Amino acid sequence: MTDSSITSERYERRELLQPGAVETWSGLDRTLNRPVTIRRSSADSEIGHRLRLQAKALARVEHHGLLHILDTYDEVEHFAIVTEQLPTRLLVDELTAPNGDIKRLAAAEAVRIVIAVTEALAVLHSSGFAHGGVDADYIGWRAEVGWVILNGPPTDDAVTIPATRRADLMSVAVLAHRLIAGAAPQRRPDGTWELDPAVPDVVAPVLARAISASDPWPDVPSMLLALRSVVDDLPHADDGHTDRRSVWQTERHWLAPVGVLVAAAATLVGIALFIEQPEESERPAAQAIATTAPSVDPSGESPPVVTVAPTGPPAATTTTPQSTVPVTTTTPLRRVPVPLESITDFDPAGDDRVEHPERLIFINDGDPTTGWSTARYSTRDFGGLKDGVGLIIVLAPGGPAHLDRLAIDSPTVGWSIEVYVSTERNRTLIDWGNPVAVASDITGSTTLDLPAADAAALLVWITDLGDELPSGGHRVTVSRIDVSTTSGAQEAPTGTDAVTP
């Protein structure tokens, strides 16, 4: 499809390369007589407004791994940005053999490509933006600068929402695995990931941590430093050596210090419980048991606890009469999740009275990079259109009615909520009564105690959408909701503390 009409005094659109909410055109800069890429969207649409905000914020961001914004202009019904010409050589082409087979790159070459991409992402993150996920299909080669990311802010990030830094880290690991092994890592039924045996020993821990749900890299610069530290240890061509390891095996290297701390804590608790036990009749007074804290070996197995018998002659024994006062013990509290029947959106002041119900399936799906999100508003107070929106959480029938705690995971910064409980699902906010918990200026995730909350349903009512997003506007995203109670508790006597983990 071509369009030879002059769309501005300076720029001419020629061929539509990619249709969509943000169109991509090949074009010509008539003033400098040079080819360019023109991306445009409807000026009055929400995407068009975000595109304008992105272009303004990123106009000064320059890195050889990102397409530089050359100019912006307005048409009659569209807003357009002008970037450098798209390269014709794509990374995905390097992974396809002439006969159609999948090619693999040497590990050193693959890591160097990933380093170049990660450097560009680090610059993007430092400017307050997230990309949303890089892929070989949108990475191109320019002879004068090397590998370049062809999409993302401020091109089509308005379409791939939400974009998160966590998703960028995971996508870098998936890209590296695809370049080295020819495919993305495989997800096990339990949600963990398994790396291909072709991934070298020194690279596997870096990728495993990037996709780990328990101990991911804190930011892109940290992963970039790790990639740079291993690239010189890699051969320049595959030597046929394979390293058969799983993500769990590679993660144990990072979890070893945590295991030592947990083991030490368990030992201290055991010693404390031993000291609190009443002495038995005719027990040797000097008899003691020394317990060594278990350590974690490279294989991840914890050795058995070692007991050391005392040496030297036994001390004199004494007999202690047993107390006639019964010993009162308490059962430690154990926190257990409360099963949920459903989560639905709640927008009583909205035109259609719903707020993105199609995204509810992304809550509790096990992927922290996805989630339900509100609509995007111009201000943190919903553009003055309403007092709030929310989520109604209905508990599964037959479950415990007493709730103790509510935990919510979210990447949003500066947002606020009120939590209501009820014995039924209500249609209006007034019917929910007064909130049982309130949290303001939340930085990401939060956990709230629910005092004396006997309920069959909860309402998480969002009253503040938080800080402005890098791509413009305000919106709250929720990726996980957990409701829990305590189990196994007995009434503790006066002066006795129950233990709550």
Side-chain angles (χ1 to χ4, degrees):
M1 177 178 179
T2 62
D3 185 347
S4 59
S5 63
I6 300 175
T7 55
S8 72
E9 294 182 358
R10 179 168 179 174
Y11 300 105
E12 176 183 344
R13 282 185 291 112
R14 290 191 165 179
E15 182 178 359
L16 179 61
L17 303 177
Q18 181 178 347
V22 179
E23 300 174 347
T24 301
W25 293 77
S26 65
L28 175 68
D29 182 341
R30 293 164 52 83
T31 301
L32 299 178
N33 193 28
R34 64 176 178 181
V36 294
T37 299
I38 300 173
R39 285 180 165 119
R40 69 170 194 166
S41 182
S42 174
D44 294 332
S45 67
E46 182 181 358
I47 292 177
H49 288 301
R50 289 202 300 268
L51 196 65
R52 187 185 299 273
L53 290 172
Q54 290 173 341
K56 180 179 179 181
L58 285 171
R60 297 182 180 180
V61 177
E62 293 190 26
H63 186 270
H64 59 267
L66 300 169
L67 283 181
H68 181 50
I69 301 174
L70 302 175
D71 199 359
T72 64
Y73 66 89
D74 288 286
E75 298 180 6
V76 177
E77 298 180 350
H78 292 83
F79 171 76
I81 63 174
V82 182
T83 69
E84 300 161 307
Q85 184 183 25
L86 295 179
T88 57
R89 176 187 169 189
L90 300 178
L91 179 57
V92 67
D93 297 334
E94 305 295 317
L95 305 178
T96 307
N99 61 357
D101 292 341
I102 301 298
K103 293 169 55 179
R104 300 188 313 170
L105 302 184
E109 181 183 1
V111 172
R112 287 191 176 92
I113 293 174
V114 171
I115 287 176
V117 172
T118 309
E119 288 174 344
L121 288 177
V123 172
L124 198 62
H125 286 193
S126 66
S127 303
F129 281 76
H131 181 278
V134 293
D135 187 83
D137 298 79
Y138 294 99
I139 298 174
W141 173 264
R142 299 183 64 187
E144 63 274 22
V145 295
W147 295 103
V148 181
I149 300 175
L150 307 182
N151 67 337
T155 54
D156 65 350
D157 176 59
V159 180
T160 55
I161 290 176
T164 65
R165 300 185 181 191
R166 179 77 182 93
D168 289 353
L169 279 168
M170 295 183 67
S171 70
V172 167
V174 172
L175 173 64
H177 194 279
R178 182 181 178 187
L179 297 180
I180 296 173
Q186 298 297 310
R187 186 189 286 268
R188 295 192 184 96
D190 62 359
T192 60
W193 295 86
E194 182 174 4
L195 302 187
D196 191 275
V199 179
D201 288 355
V202 294
V203 179
V206 181
L207 304 188
R209 189 173 182 185
I211 58 180
S212 169
S214 59
D215 183 29
W217 292 107
D219 49 36
V220 164
S222 299
M223 183 177 179
L224 180 59
L225 182 62
L227 289 170
R228 287 171 175 166
S229 68
V230 304
V231 66
D232 292 334
D233 297 330
L234 297 171
H236 292 279
D238 290 330
D239 56 5
H241 170 70
T242 60
D243 173 35
R244 187 171 298 278
R245 61 166 68 213
S246 67
V247 171
W248 167 242
Q249 290 170 328
T250 57
E251 283 185 350
R252 288 191 298 196
H253 168 73
W254 305 102
L255 295 175
V258 178
V260 173
L261 293 176
V262 171
T267 301
L268 293 176
V269 172
I271 293 174
L273 293 175
F274 174 78
I275 293 174
E276 290 179 357
Q277 295 297 322
E279 294 187 4
E280 296 179 359
S281 174
E282 299 182 356
R283 170 178 291 182
Q287 182 178 358
I289 299 177
T291 306
T292 60
S295 60
V296 180
D297 64 13
S299 66
E301 301 294 336
S302 298
V305 176
V306 179
T307 59
V308 181
T311 59
T317 61
T318 59
T319 302
T320 303
Q322 294 184 354
S323 173
T324 58
V325 179
V327 178
T328 303
T329 61
T330 61
T331 303
L333 300 181
R334 181 170 58 90
R335 190 164 299 283
V336 295
V338 175
L340 309 181
E341 179 182 83
S342 64
I343 301 176
T344 56
D345 56 301
F346 183 61
D347 185 21
D351 294 338
D352 51 6
R353 307 184 73 82
V354 294
E355 185 89 2
H356 285 314
E358 75 280 358
R359 299 181 184 175
L360 292 168
I361 60 173
F362 298 120
I363 299 179
N364 295 341
D365 68 346
D367 186 351
T369 66
T370 62
W372 170 86
S373 58
T374 68
R376 189 185 296 255
Y377 296 87
S378 58
T379 64
R380 63 189 309 153
D381 63 347
F382 304 90
L385 300 175
K386 58 189 72 173
D387 294 329
V389 298
L391 293 168
I392 295 177
I393 303 139
V394 178
L395 308 183
H402 182 75
L403 311 178
D404 287 335
R405 185 170 294 177
L406 171 69
I408 303 175
D409 283 354
S410 170
T412 308
V413 175
W415 62 301
S416 302
I417 59 172
E418 297 175 348
V419 179
Y420 299 78
V421 298
S422 176
T423 56
E424 60 182 347
R425 175 174 174 168
N426 299 302
R427 295 181 177 274
T428 66
L429 185 61
I430 296 177
D431 294 335
W432 286 91
N434 297 320
V436 298
V438 177
S440 301
D441 196 21
I442 305 169
T443 301
S445 304
T446 186
T447 300
L448 296 93
D449 292 328
L450 305 177
D454 292 323
L458 296 89
L459 168 63
V460 176
W461 183 247
I462 301 169
T463 58
D464 189 320
L465 294 170
D467 297 350
E468 184 175 6
L469 300 171
S471 54
H474 301 260
R475 178 190 59 214
V476 169
T477 298
V478 174
S479 59
R480 182 181 69 94
I481 294 178
D482 280 347
V483 182
S484 60
T485 186
T486 50
S487 176
Q490 294 180 358
E491 184 176 352
T494 304
T496 304
D497 294 330
V499 179
T500 304

